[in-house]
Amino acid sequence: MSFNVTPVAQPQIDIGVAFANAANAAFNTTLSPSFSPYGSDVLFFLGSYIFEDVGATAYLGAIPLIQNNGVLSAAAAIMAVEAYHAGAVRTKLYDSIDEYLFPYGVTTNVIIQKISALRDAAGMTKIDAGLQVGCKLNLVPVDKNSLLFSRTPAQVLAIVSLGGAGNKGGFFPNGMNGYIA
């Protein structure tokens, strides 16, 4: 598929210390040892949880901005895959929701709730929810009508930059390249 445009250069991406920074921000302290999604299966799924819901909701938020039908079709397909990933990650995390995570001294559920709160705070919203809402299981990121909720491009950038000024920081230490709608 050709769109007759010049793509922007790939921005610098940090998937090392950014996970630790995200965990520190979620807990409002410096964790020791530093959080790494590569330490265990549960930690990997917690790292995935940071992104998968954001990916699905980001694509839904971008769809109204897309005017090219080819791009729209591709975005809808990617959104569907992201939503499947988000549901799978949430299901795997639910399997260990009460697991105590050494050395952090909390359960998987506590970390999930802190990640959701961090995404809300960084994205300046109150739409995110963990795996339990009250006493109910919440395996998909949906609104009160059971529809996937959306995030604007600005909300997504704020989350992946961990609320950094000028959308710099977090997983994109130097910000993004090019124009973001």
Side-chain angles (χ1 to χ4, degrees), residues 103-129:
Y104 303 116
V106 296
T107 63
T108 300
N109 191 42
V110 168
I111 295 176
I112 290 166
Q113 294 304 117
K114 289 189 176 292
I115 292 169
S116 289
L118 176 64
R119 292 189 304 211
D120 266 348
M124 297 172 285
T125 64
K126 292 197 181 292
I127 57 177
D128 211 298

Side-chain angles (χ1 to χ4, degrees), residues 28 45 73 97 116 125 139 156 164 179:
N28 198 30
F45 285 114
S73 179
I97 199 162
S116 289
T125 64
L139 288 181
V156 172
Y179 171 75

Side-chain angles (χ1 to χ4, degrees), residues 3-9:
F3 300 108
N4 297 320
V5 296
T6 303
V8 297

Side-chain angles (χ1 to χ4, degrees), residues 54 119 122-125 127 150-160:
V54 176
R119 292 189 304 211
M124 297 172 285
T125 64
I127 57 177
S150 67
R151 287 185 169 99
T152 66
Q155 290 168 333
V156 172
L157 287 173
I159 291 168
V160 299

Side-chain angles (χ1 to χ4, degrees), residues 90 94 97-98 109 113 129-138:
R90 283 172 169 258
Y94 186 73
I97 199 162
D98 294 320
N109 191 42
Q113 294 304 117
L131 296 183
Q132 292 179 312
V133 177
C135 295
K136 295 182 181 180
L137 177 61
N138 183 36

Side-chain angles (χ1 to χ4, degrees), residues 3-4 7 18 22 24 29 49 52 57 61-62 71 73 78 88 95 113 124 138 144 153 155 162 169 171 173 175 177:
F3 300 108
N4 297 320
N24 291 344
T29 191
Y49 178 71
E52 291 300 343
T57 59
V71 174
S73 179
I78 294 169
D95 290 344
Q113 294 304 117
M124 297 172 285
N138 183 36
K144 65 182 179 182
Q155 290 168 333
L162 302 178
F171 295 89
N177 298 329

